[in-house]
Amino acid sequence: MEPDSTQEDWQVACDADEFEGEELLECHSGGQQILLVRTEVGVVACPAICPHMEERLAHGIVDGNVLTCSKHLWQWNLLSGEPVGLAEMPLQVAPVRLEAGKYVVNVQKLKRFGDSSCS
Ligand code: FES
């Protein structure tokens, strides 16, 4: 566990079986819709909705460690959340662990920066 997180910060997202063979999966975890994303180095989580407008990021494309939103092609580095190319704001990214056959997300990391949506 990270030094600044508590057990309550980590919430179940889904059974590992549900995400097997998938790159993107929307889940409900910790009272919010999130997206699990499989990167080259492991699974991370981010909000289900693009921070630009109201597009579902599950419609996007994952290439290595980069997620591309399908609507206006904003891109982010999934390891840092930093914008790539056209993107004008970062994406919240949270760590994910596999525990007892379930993916568990540090949902506090997705709330800590607030709602960064813009119009
Ligand atoms: S809605 Fe995602 S890039 Fe515009």
Side-chain angles (χ1 to χ4, degrees):
M1 190 178 306
E2 296 173 32
D4 64 340
S5 68
T6 66
Q7 195 62 41
E8 294 77 43
D9 293 342
W10 293 86
Q11 299 288 324
V12 171
C14 69
D15 290 337
D17 292 353
E18 295 177 58
F19 194 43
E20 191 171 331
E22 304 289 339
E23 284 189 320
L24 299 164
L25 180 68
E26 277 188 18
C27 307
H28 194 78
S29 183
Q32 59 187 314
Q33 283 297 114
I34 66 161
L35 183 69
L36 294 183
V37 187
R38 195 178 306 281
T39 73
E40 289 178 334
V41 296
V43 177
V44 298
C46 67
I49 301 298
C50 180
H52 181 212
M53 296 175 82
E54 297 295 311
E55 180 67 6
R56 291 169 60 195
L57 288 172
H59 295 160
I61 299 165
V62 181
D63 183 7
N65 296 322
V66 173
L67 173 64
T68 303
C69 177
S70 62
K71 193 157 190 177
H72 304 108
L73 306 181
W74 280 21
Q75 296 180 300
W76 301 272
N77 180 323
L78 288 163
L79 306 184
S80 66
E82 290 298 312
V84 176
L86 300 174
E88 296 175 5
M89 62 180 64
L91 182 70
Q92 296 174 17
V93 177
V96 176
R97 300 191 306 222
L98 188 58
E99 289 182 359
K102 296 182 184 300
Y103 283 107
V104 179
V105 177
N106 187 333
V107 291
Q108 192 61 34
K109 294 281 187 188
L110 299 179
K111 294 176 179 169
R112 194 160 287 163
F113 304 106
D115 179 9
S116 59
S117 297
C118 69
S119 55

